[in-house]
Amino acid sequence: MKSTSLRPAAAWLLGLGLAGCAGASATTAPSRNDAAAAATSSAVNSLGAATAQALATAPAADAPLVRPEPPFQVVSEQFADLRVLRYRVPGFETLTAKQKELLYYLYEAALAGRDITYDQNYRHNLRVRRTLEALWPLNQERMSATTNTQQVEQAQKFNVYAKRVWFSNGIHHHYSTRKFVPECSKEYFAELVRAADRSTLPLLGGESVDKFIAAMTPIIFDPNLDAKRVNQEAGQDLIKTSATNFYQGVTQKEVEAYYAKKIDKKDPRPVSYGLNSRLVKDKSGKIVEQPWKVGGLYGPAITQIVYWLGKAADVAENSEQQKALQKLIQYYTTGDLKTWDEYNIAWVHDTKSRTDVVNGFIEVYGDPLGYRATYEAVVSFKDLEATKRIQAIGDQAQWFEDHSPIKPEHRKKNVVGITAKVITTVVESGDAAPSTPIGINLPNATWIRKEHGSKSVNLGNIVEAYDQASAGGMLDEFALTEEERQRARQYGSLAGKLHTDMHEVIGHASGQINPGVGTTKETLKNYASAIEEGRADLVALYYLMDPKLVEMGVVPSLEVGKAEYDNYIRNGLMTQLVRLPLGETVEEAHMRNRQMVAKWAYEKGQKDKVIEKVTKDGKTYFRVNDYQKLRTLFGQLLRETQRVTSEGDFNGAKALIETYGVKVDPVLHKEVLARYQKLNIAPYAGFIQPRLVPVEQDGKIVDVKLEYPADFAQQMLDYGRKYSFLPHAN
């Protein structure tokens, strides 16, 4: 599961809950809510302040001139509803040459699978992306060669659309999964295509340019064609109404019937059925799986991944890491899901390595039924100092489990193998980029977590970059009192990090499913992800107000917990709505979970005014009046979500999510959008990735240099040239 800042990272700083979960159900991203990301103007202002300070402290005229390093600019640009940021990789220079070489190979393996994510998201995505890449330089030339304002405007609108496609790994929004369309005209698009070199266009077979335009125009411009990548609306066929490329020619009932026959619910160690394949009907009408492996679907890209993983295995830090990498190679080669489990077990037991990698088909948010996983990769190394905080929580996992408000029979009697650490991210790819998780907890298989443990990580330098890019606009606008705002400013950053830590380390690792019930994707179906994320959030929320954290020394006082309660309620009931167009309901799993938790607590505590809705100067606010009673409510809901999970109660899950997590108050929604619009803050953020450059001597890598690109479009074009391994249609 992944914690997104959500998709969506120390999320309170983003003001929109970018936190999601990767791992045990992790994890688009993606949201914590209060401190909205700074607009580009904020970065410019801070740069100006830094320059003024440099001038004020300049050396005398006769002193030797030493040019200071320019400040690292975190915010790169803002367009549509997106901000593009940059992050540093501190400590990379202290690694050994062998560790750097290993990270370089893992970096190449990560990026080699980039095409897969595009194609998984939508069957036409690779053709769309390659069309945009072919037209980009021509569009730039047109924009710079004319003073015609209409032409310039059309060119700029084309640029924004291209960047949105790159950001979302396709033509559907990375978070809402709704299709977005260009604001430039169809005629302008056709002009560009006709002016392009035919050899650069992603034509199929003997396709003419005119036929190509006729085929691509509705794919790109018609908002009603394949309108949702992942549809979660109750009462609809979720497979036929979702544009994801995980299924072809099958219905939801057929998929459910196929796996009902295949899965043995009594199996104590089930494989992750459907995780790495496309489910289709063949020419005879038989339902078959097309596995993603070397020699199978996505074979050319996976072959490249395997090549670089092999190079990495040769320079692994130790035998445990080498065994894990070799198992991953074997899995990619065979497509065998038992081998995937063996890899995950080996990976969990590799606890001594400084370097690490997540690479594979992992999170199932992109599948409306929760079977199939999208490709993602995260390459990292451990932040030794920052790990002390999160490890302190992991070391007390059994205490937290024993004192949980869930039913005793749903508690784990022996919590094993939780490895918790803060990592420094080197590169992310696939479903983990450009929008990135802020926390990860893996593996997702419940039985592996129970018997072998899990790894929980906080992406420290990603969180730090969000922190640096943040501004207080959201907090000032949506927090009711100065006391609330001051508490958030003093403790909000720590509160956000601890919530992510406990969500991943304790939340996803807690509880157990009753014997013979089956996995949540089988029992809770399309509500599984939202319930699991809600359950993990509730574990974190319940313990954030526990004196145990003060005793452990991870918080100075329970004011930290109060700051997170303020933030969570504000986000779940109000501010996360800035991510939705007016009139829409909530469909994304993390947003559903947050609204469900906050709205349930608000309703159940109304009699005692635990949470109070306040109107001041015509604006709506939500104020927490009793933090201890709110903690009790969180404990009660945790008990219920764990019961639903342990017993496989589909109707109970449906009642929670549909009653509290889906519907939106249109009047409040309209007000929130109007207030937010005035802040000029993009609600979503993602990153330009650092670049690793090997230094060779006599044909061998002797060092690896780290570079920080600053141009998002240029990086996307470079990736398109270097890492396009799949055909236009797969």
Side-chain angles (χ1 to χ4, degrees):
M1 288 124 189
K2 58 175 88 148
S3 261
T4 70
S5 198
L6 185 136
R7 119 23 161 201
W12 76 276
L13 294 170
L14 296 182
L16 296 172
L18 289 182
C21 287
S25 95
T27 70
T28 193
S31 256
R32 309 183 45 72
N33 185 72
D34 255 316
T40 306
S41 59
S42 299
V44 173
N45 290 339
S46 64
L47 182 59
T51 303
Q53 176 65 21
L55 289 172
T57 57
D62 56 349
L65 181 62
V66 178
R67 294 190 180 276
E69 282 275 331
F72 185 86
Q73 190 166 331
V74 174
V75 180
S76 175
E77 61 178 314
Q78 179 169 311
F79 52 86
D81 59 351
L82 307 170
R83 289 183 318 140
V84 178
L85 312 178
R86 300 160 73 221
Y87 63 90
R88 292 180 184 271
V89 187
F92 183 82
E93 67 284 351
T94 67
L95 300 176
T96 67
K98 186 177 179 182
Q99 287 171 327
K100 291 179 184 179
E101 182 180 3
L102 170 62
L103 289 171
Y104 169 69
Y105 295 143
L106 295 175
Y107 162 94
E108 290 290 349
L111 292 168
R114 179 173 173 263
D115 270 2
I116 298 173
T117 303
Y118 275 87
D119 196 75
Q120 289 177 317
N121 284 345
Y122 181 53
R123 66 191 183 279
H124 298 304
N125 270 342
L126 286 176
R127 281 240 283 177
V128 172
R129 193 195 80 198
R130 288 166 183 169
T131 300
L132 299 175
E133 290 168 350
L135 301 182
W136 180 271
L138 182 61
N139 188 60
Q140 302 309 100
E141 290 174 12
R142 285 195 165 201
M143 188 161 52
S144 61
T146 183
T147 56
N148 184 309
T149 55
Q150 289 184 332
Q151 284 288 312
V152 170
E153 184 178 343
Q154 289 291 310
Q156 289 173 337
K157 288 178 177 178
F158 175 89
N159 280 356
V160 169
Y161 178 72
K163 291 177 183 179
R164 295 189 73 185
V165 171
W166 287 325
F167 192 99
S168 295
N169 294 312
I171 66 173
H172 297 87
H173 195 279
H174 74 286
Y175 198 85
S176 72
T177 82
R178 296 174 186 83
K179 183 177 181 179
F180 52 84
V181 297
E183 293 186 12
C184 66
S185 68
K186 299 175 186 177
E187 292 74 20
Y188 183 78
F189 170 75
E191 284 177 25
L192 284 177
V193 173
R194 290 194 174 96
D197 181 345
R198 174 190 168 89
S199 67
T200 66
L201 298 173
L203 306 178
L204 297 178
E207 190 176 36
S208 69
V209 171
D210 283 343
K211 284 187 176 180
F212 173 76
I213 293 172
M216 296 304 294
T217 298
I219 290 170
I220 292 174
F221 286 91
D222 185 350
N224 299 313
L225 177 65
D226 298 323
K228 286 293 298 292
R229 177 166 59 85
V230 183
N231 181 33
Q232 291 285 5
E233 189 171 342
Q236 297 190 12
D237 185 316
L238 302 184
I239 297 299
K240 296 191 76 67
T241 57
S242 295
T244 179
N245 197 19
F246 288 145
Y247 302 92
Q248 289 183 3
V250 293
T251 66
Q252 180 177 345
K253 287 184 178 179
E254 288 172 330
V255 174
E256 291 173 343
Y258 176 84
Y259 285 109
K261 292 179 181 178
K262 201 176 186 71
I263 296 172
D264 178 6
K265 290 186 178 181
K266 295 181 180 179
D267 185 352
R269 299 179 181 87
V271 298
S272 301
Y273 290 99
L275 190 75
N276 66 336
S277 67
R278 181 190 291 164
L279 196 67
V280 304
K281 276 186 182 176
D282 63 17
K283 293 180 180 178
S284 67
K286 181 181 178 182
I287 296 178
V288 296
E289 294 187 66
Q290 298 175 332
W292 308 323
K293 63 174 185 175
V294 172
L297 195 57
Y298 303 140
I302 295 174
T303 298
Q304 292 291 326
I305 296 171
V306 165
Y307 169 79
W308 290 107
L309 290 176
K311 302 276 282 184
D314 289 342
V315 294
E317 291 190 52
N318 51 57
S319 59
E320 288 81 5
Q321 187 180 58
Q322 185 176 62
K323 178 182 177 181
L325 289 170
Q326 288 171 342
K327 278 292 180 183
L328 182 56
I329 292 168
Q330 184 183 351
Y331 158 69
Y332 270 134
T333 303
T334 64
D336 184 358
L337 287 170
K338 287 187 177 180
T339 305
W340 172 247
D341 287 343
E342 292 169 0
Y343 157 69
N344 277 285
I345 293 169
W347 179 74
V348 165
H349 288 300
D350 173 25
T351 59
K352 297 177 183 177
S353 302
R354 178 83 185 274
T355 57
D356 207 349
V357 64
V358 171
N359 187 304
F361 307 112
I362 297 169
E363 301 301 341
V364 297
Y365 301 117
D367 181 350
L369 297 186
Y371 285 96
R372 298 175 151 71
T374 310
Y375 172 80
E376 70 174 73
V378 179
V379 179
S380 66
F381 59 91
K382 185 189 294 187
D383 181 330
L384 300 177
E385 183 61 31
T387 291
K388 294 176 183 177
R389 180 195 74 241
I390 192 172
Q391 187 59 53
I393 295 170
D395 290 345
Q396 293 292 327
Q398 190 65 58
W399 186 93
F400 289 115
E401 187 76 354
D402 293 343
H403 291 80
S404 173
I406 65 177
K407 291 182 178 181
E409 61 267 29
H410 296 158
R411 297 176 190 155
K412 287 180 179 174
K413 303 300 183 288
N414 183 28
V415 180
V416 300
I418 292 181
T419 301
K421 59 184 178 179
V422 176
I423 61 172
T424 299
T425 307
V426 176
V427 72
E428 296 177 285
S429 180
D431 197 41
S435 179
T436 168
I438 56 170
I440 298 174
N441 180 275
L442 291 171
N444 284 327
T446 304
W447 71 267
I448 296 178
R449 302 162 66 78
K450 181 179 179 180
E451 296 182 18
H452 298 276
S454 61
K455 285 183 180 178
S456 294
V457 303
N458 181 302
L459 283 67
N461 58 329
I462 297 295
V463 171
E464 178 65 20
Y466 278 129
D467 193 349
Q468 293 176 7
S470 69
M474 287 287 284
L475 189 63
D476 292 336
E477 177 60 39
F478 291 100
L480 175 61
T481 66
E482 184 58 29
E483 178 187 6
E484 189 179 336
R485 290 188 285 271
Q486 286 297 334
R487 184 187 293 126
R489 292 184 182 110
Q490 184 172 0
Y491 298 114
S493 180
L494 175 59
K497 291 173 184 176
L498 277 173
H499 186 278
T500 300
D501 291 348
M502 300 193 73
H503 174 111
E504 299 296 348
V505 179
I506 305 301
H508 284 308
S510 69
Q512 60 184 355
I513 295 173
N514 294 351
V517 167
T519 63
T520 55
K521 70 182 177 185
E522 301 159 41
T523 58
L524 307 186
K525 302 180 182 180
N526 51 303
Y527 300 108
S529 291
I531 289 293
E532 175 58 25
E533 296 308 326
R535 193 182 68 84
D537 264 0
L538 285 161
V539 172
L541 290 166
Y542 181 76
Y543 283 116
L544 273 165
M545 281 295 292
D546 197 304
K548 178 71 172 179
L549 296 188
V550 180
E551 176 190 322
M552 291 167 57
V554 297
V555 299
S557 74
L558 293 184
E559 289 296 299
V560 176
K562 291 180 180 179
E564 184 59 16
Y565 279 24
D566 292 337
N567 171 71
Y568 197 92
I569 294 302
R570 189 187 310 119
N571 185 32
L573 292 179
M574 190 163 50
T575 54
Q576 73 169 2
L577 296 179
V578 303
R579 296 188 163 201
L580 293 178
L582 189 62
E584 299 231 351
T585 58
V586 181
E587 291 196 45
E588 199 278 332
H590 297 86
M591 286 185 68
R592 281 186 166 190
N593 119 56
R594 285 187 289 270
Q595 179 171 294
M596 180 268 290
V597 170
K599 189 172 282 190
W600 187 95
Y602 173 65
E603 179 185 291
K604 300 303 180 185
Q606 261 188 310
K607 181 181 177 182
D608 296 328
K609 291 188 176 181
V610 177
I611 303 166
E612 186 177 5
K613 184 178 181 180
V614 178
T615 301
K616 181 181 178 182
D617 299 329
K619 296 180 179 180
T620 302
Y621 301 89
F622 288 91
R623 176 175 62 202
V624 178
N625 290 323
D626 193 323
Y627 293 93
Q628 287 301 330
K629 284 186 178 180
L630 181 54
R631 185 193 184 211
T632 299
L633 289 171
F634 285 149
Q636 292 170 3
L637 184 55
L638 170 57
R639 186 181 178 93
E640 175 61 9
T641 54
Q642 183 62 59
R643 184 200 66 78
V644 164
T645 300
S646 296
E647 298 177 3
D649 182 0
F650 173 80
N651 289 330
K654 180 180 180 180
L656 282 173
I657 300 303
E658 292 293 339
T659 303
Y660 298 102
V662 176
K663 299 180 182 67
V664 176
D665 178 347
V667 176
L668 178 61
H669 191 188
K670 183 177 181 180
E671 176 196 326
V672 169
L673 290 176
R675 291 164 66 181
Y676 179 73
Q677 187 176 14
K678 296 176 182 178
L679 301 177
N680 189 31
I681 301 169
Y684 302 96
F687 290 89
I688 298 171
Q689 302 298 312
R691 179 168 53 229
L692 298 191
V693 181
V695 178
E696 296 188 13
Q697 186 174 322
D698 299 328
K700 294 183 179 181
I701 294 177
V702 295
D703 195 9
V704 177
K705 299 298 183 184
L706 188 68
E707 297 179 353
Y708 295 106
D711 189 320
F712 177 62
Q714 189 58 52
Q715 179 166 85
M716 294 297 99
L717 293 169
D718 291 343
Y719 282 176
R721 282 189 289 268
K722 186 173 182 181
Y723 300 108
S724 285
F725 299 118
L726 296 182
H728 303 320
N730 296 274

